[in-house]
Amino acid sequence: MSPLRIIVAGAGGRMGAANIAAAARHDEVDLVGALDRPGSAAIGKDAGTLAGLDPMGVLVGDSIDALLEGADAIIDFTAPAASVALAREAAARGLVHVIGTTGCSAADDAAIAEAGRSGARIVKSGNFSPGMVALTVLVEKAAAALADYDVEILEMHHNLKVDAPSGTALMLGEAAARGRNITLADHSVRVRDGHTGPREAGTIGFATLRGGNVIGDHMVILAGPSERIELNHRAQDRTIYANGALKAALWAAGQKPGLYSMADVLGLSD
Ligand SMILES: NC(=O)C1=CN([C@@H]2O[C@H](COP(=O)(O)OP(=O)(O)OC[C@H]3O[C@@H](n4cnc5c(N)ncnc54)[C@H](OP(=O)(O)O)[C@@H]3O)[C@@H](O)[C@H]2O)C=CC1
Ligand SMILES: O=C(O)C1=N[C@H](C(=O)O)C[C@H](O)C1
């Protein structure tokens, strides 16, 4: 089978470098383009150089139209507005679109879902590591089994992260809410400050820490009377996300248009 021709969007970013390096390691994909924001310092640079590798002969561009000709898939870890725009382009061309971008609003997510209904093969996940997808399965089961325990989700990331709570923390919150047959939006407590009063039973709490170069730490706590369960995940290298994103792209190439999750890719969805 010929390699999947991929474009890396956000090529100048932290995940852009990891995605370019992953593409260089995997024979099943061919990096045919690299994209960044108009005005970005990455424009015109070689993708390989940006990833700390030898030059790959792929220069970073800023025009979606020019780059998407001759591509099968977009690997996109950028920003919400860029991901929505790319999803529309993927729908118009019937492309695979792997979205790792977090911090999307409800309107952004609705636009991405619409692109999935209109021809794009989209895999979107707040976290592409297999360990994290497995953890969401455990959290759903634990929240169901310990239905009266308080669920709190703590995350820590590097000091350059711009959205909170992390996409992963929200994914874990959704898993706990599914386990309890409740809607996260109606039960989440994202911030506590001042005289909050006692904790409201049945809520799912979030706490956010930022500092240093932490790649991504998440802990789900189930606190009951006289005991506490802590489910932890610590990412040690961004390669784990990049490998997952490539796996998702290769899987989605064989699917019909739609919006899929990483649990679908790994065969863990119901
Ligand atoms: N789902 C997952 O597994 C993971 C998700 N993430 C998420 O991925 C996203 C990116 O993270 P990270 O790489 O650390 O962030 P960075 O800020 O390092 O990279 C983002 C890149 O996207 C570029 N960009 C912004 N707007 C556009 C645009 N319109 N078109 C093309 N490129 C654009 C930025 O350019 P410039 O800097 O010039 O603005 C930058 O190069 C975040 O939302 C993060 O939460 C991160 C890790 C794992
Ligand atoms: O911004 C990051 O770095 C990360 N973002 C994702 C998130 O918001 O959960 C995934 C990972 O935790 C790293």
Side-chain angles (χ1 to χ4, degrees):
M1 221 166 78
S2 48
L4 192 73
R5 297 166 302 171
I6 65 164
I7 301 277
V8 168
R14 284 172 290 276
M15 277 307 299
N19 289 324
I20 291 164
R25 277 194 310 272
H26 286 83
D27 292 341
E28 310 95 302
V29 301
D30 227 357
L31 183 75
V32 297
L35 177 73
D36 213 295
R37 183 182 55 75
S40 159
I43 305 300
K45 296 205 169 134
D46 187 278
T49 310
L50 283 175
L53 308 170
D54 288 339
M56 296 168 78
V58 175
L59 300 186
V60 180
D62 61 4
S63 158
I64 298 179
D65 275 347
L67 283 170
L68 291 184
E69 293 304 326
D72 303 311
I74 311 165
I75 310 288
D76 165 17
F77 289 66
T78 55
S83 294
V84 168
L86 286 170
R88 291 190 175 125
E89 296 289 343
R93 294 171 162 84
L95 299 179
V96 168
H97 186 192
V98 174
I99 307 179
T101 306
T102 57
C104 291
S105 66
D108 296 331
D109 281 332
I112 288 167
E114 177 53 33
R117 287 189 291 274
S118 310
R121 292 159 174 79
I122 300 177
V123 183
K124 182 172 189 286
S125 179
N127 197 304
F128 278 91
S129 91
M132 184 53 80
V133 181
L135 182 60
T136 61
V137 175
L138 296 179
V139 167
E140 181 173 343
K141 285 190 194 308
L146 302 168
D148 56 344
Y149 281 33
D150 298 327
V151 178
E152 293 284 315
I153 300 171
L154 173 66
E155 56 106 333
M156 180 161 187
H157 284 85
H158 53 92
N159 55 22
L160 296 172
K161 184 161 177 64
V162 295
D163 56 307
S166 69
T168 308
L170 293 170
M171 220 170 92
L172 291 165
E174 292 287 1
R178 259 194 321 277
R180 293 192 170 167
N181 285 318
I182 59 173
T183 312
L184 181 63
D186 297 335
H187 292 83
S188 72
V189 177
R190 291 194 176 204
V191 180
R192 293 189 182 101
D193 187 27
H195 185 84
T196 61
R199 189 182 195 283
E200 190 185 332
T203 54
I204 296 174
F206 291 87
T208 298
L209 306 179
R210 293 284 176 267
N213 61 356
V214 177
I215 290 179
D217 290 356
H218 292 87
M219 190 197 300
V220 179
I221 303 163
L222 291 109
S226 312
E227 66 174 351
R228 190 164 76 240
I229 295 167
E230 298 177 351
L231 298 165
N232 262 306
H233 181 275
R234 292 200 169 92
Q236 290 166 347
D237 195 304
R238 289 185 174 86
T239 301
I240 194 81
Y241 310 132
N243 286 343
L246 284 191
K247 190 184 186 96
L250 290 161
W251 176 87
Q255 308 302 314
K256 55 184 195 312
L259 173 59
Y260 300 96
S261 69
M262 201 52 189
D264 295 326
V265 174
L266 299 180
L268 294 173
S269 49
D270 299 329

